[in-house]
């Protein structure tokens, strides 16, 4: 229960969380990576759910998060087999969003984090809410949620600043409002 509570706080954070995996992400470590919004792995990373080999099962969200990323069949294969997978295989499965060299992993993560941070924070948070909450809804309800978030963002100070900055050919100075 405690593990699910902690990982739920990670998943539900209003901040964009990027997992940088450079080694083994097995069992709970893989579930921790799944709790993040984006996963970037080095070519040295290995992923898997070996719990079944010990007569156990993933308990921090793996059986629910993995199928949402990879599809049910692939998730069953990964979890039921208990096999370990390379970063490239994890990328092919949809578990990882990008694979880079171990030498450039942190640089790649920092570049991405800076790109995200340079965007309108109000808009990024609204996108995260729309994606995260919308995935739990029927499509028509999810589209209504997206429109609600869009209307908030479109009428925000950040949107006004972004459009003005674009027209004035300068970088925007977002305030998160």
């Amino acid at each position: 229960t405690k593990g699910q509570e902690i990982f739920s706080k990670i998943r539900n954070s209003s901040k964009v969380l990027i997992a940088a995996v450079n080694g083994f992400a097995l069992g709970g470590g893989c579930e921790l990576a799944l709790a993040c919004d984006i996963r970037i792995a080095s070519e040295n990373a290995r992923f898997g759910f070996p719990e079944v080999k010990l007569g156990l099962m993933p308990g921090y969200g793996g059986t629910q998060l993995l199928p949402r990323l990879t599809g049910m069949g692939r998730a069953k294969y990964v979890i039921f087999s208990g096999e370990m997978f390379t970063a490239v295989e994890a990328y092919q499965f949809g578990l990882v969003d990008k694979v880079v060299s171990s030498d450039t992993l942190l640089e790649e993560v920092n570049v991405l984090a800076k790109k995200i941070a340079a965007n309108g924070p109000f808009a990024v948070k609204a996108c995260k809410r729309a994606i995260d909450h919308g995935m739990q809804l029927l499509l028509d309800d999810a589209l209504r949620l997206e429109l609600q978030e869009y209307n908030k963002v479109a009428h925000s100070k950040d949107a006004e600043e972004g459009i003005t900055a674009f027209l004035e050919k300068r970088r925007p100075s977002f305030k998160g409002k």
Side-chain angles (χ1 to χ4, degrees), residues 18 20 22 27 52 55 66 88 93 99 111 118-120 125 139 159 166 174:
I18 304 169
N22 189 23
V52 294
L66 189 63
V88 171
F93 295 169
V99 178
V111 165
N119 295 328
K125 287 179 181 179
L139 181 58
F166 175 78
F174 295 119

Side-chain angles (χ1 to χ4, degrees), residues 114-135:
K114 286 177 183 172
K115 281 182 188 177
I116 293 168
N119 295 328
F122 193 72
V124 171
K125 287 179 181 179
C127 289
K128 181 171 171 160
R129 282 192 304 270
I131 293 167
D132 289 348
H133 296 197
M135 286 296 296

Side-chain angles (χ1 to χ4, degrees), residues 149-160:
E149 293 292 348
Y150 173 83
N151 285 330
K152 287 186 239 176
V153 170
H155 296 95
S156 70
K157 296 286 186 193
D158 275 2
E160 184 179 319

Side-chain angles (χ1 to χ4, degrees), residues 20-43:
V21 182
N22 189 23
F24 294 100
L26 303 173
C30 194
E31 288 170 303
L32 177 58
L34 290 173
C36 295
D37 297 299
I38 299 168
R39 286 153 300 285
I40 299 179
S42 81
E43 61 213 355

Side-chain angles (χ1 to χ4, degrees), residues 25-167:
L26 303 173
C30 194
E31 288 170 303
L32 177 58
L34 290 173
C36 295
D37 297 299
I38 299 168
R39 286 153 300 285
I40 299 179
S42 81
E43 61 213 355
N44 299 330
R46 299 293 180 267
F47 297 85
F49 289 93
E51 290 92 339
V52 294
K53 292 182 175 187
L54 302 173
L56 298 169
M57 67 176 280
Y60 293 171
T63 65
Q64 301 308 303
L65 298 173
L66 189 63
R68 284 169 168 79
L69 280 176
T70 66
M72 189 184 321
R74 181 62 69 188
K76 286 180 177 181
Y77 181 85
V78 169
I79 292 172
F80 296 172
S81 72
E83 289 179 27
M84 193 170 16
F85 299 93
T86 67
V88 171
E89 290 170 321
Y91 175 76
Q92 292 167 343
F93 295 169
L95 193 155
V96 168
D97 302 299
K98 189 172 186 179
V99 178
V100 300
S101 74
S102 59
D103 295 340
T104 64
L105 176 63
L106 292 181
E107 180 184 337
E108 292 271 350
V109 170
N110 285 328
V111 165
L112 177 60
K114 286 177 183 172
K115 281 182 188 177
I116 293 168
N119 295 328
F122 193 72
V124 171
K125 287 179 181 179
C127 289
K128 181 171 171 160
R129 282 192 304 270
I131 293 167
D132 289 348
H133 296 197
M135 286 296 296
Q136 301 168 28
L137 301 172
L138 295 172
L139 181 58
D140 287 341
D141 295 331
L143 290 169
R144 276 190 286 281
L145 170 66
E146 179 185 74
L147 191 55
Q148 290 170 354
E149 293 292 348
Y150 173 83
N151 285 330
K152 287 186 239 176
V153 170
H155 296 95
S156 70
K157 296 286 186 193
D158 275 2
E160 184 179 319
E161 167 61 15
I163 292 167
T164 301
F166 175 78
L167 294 173

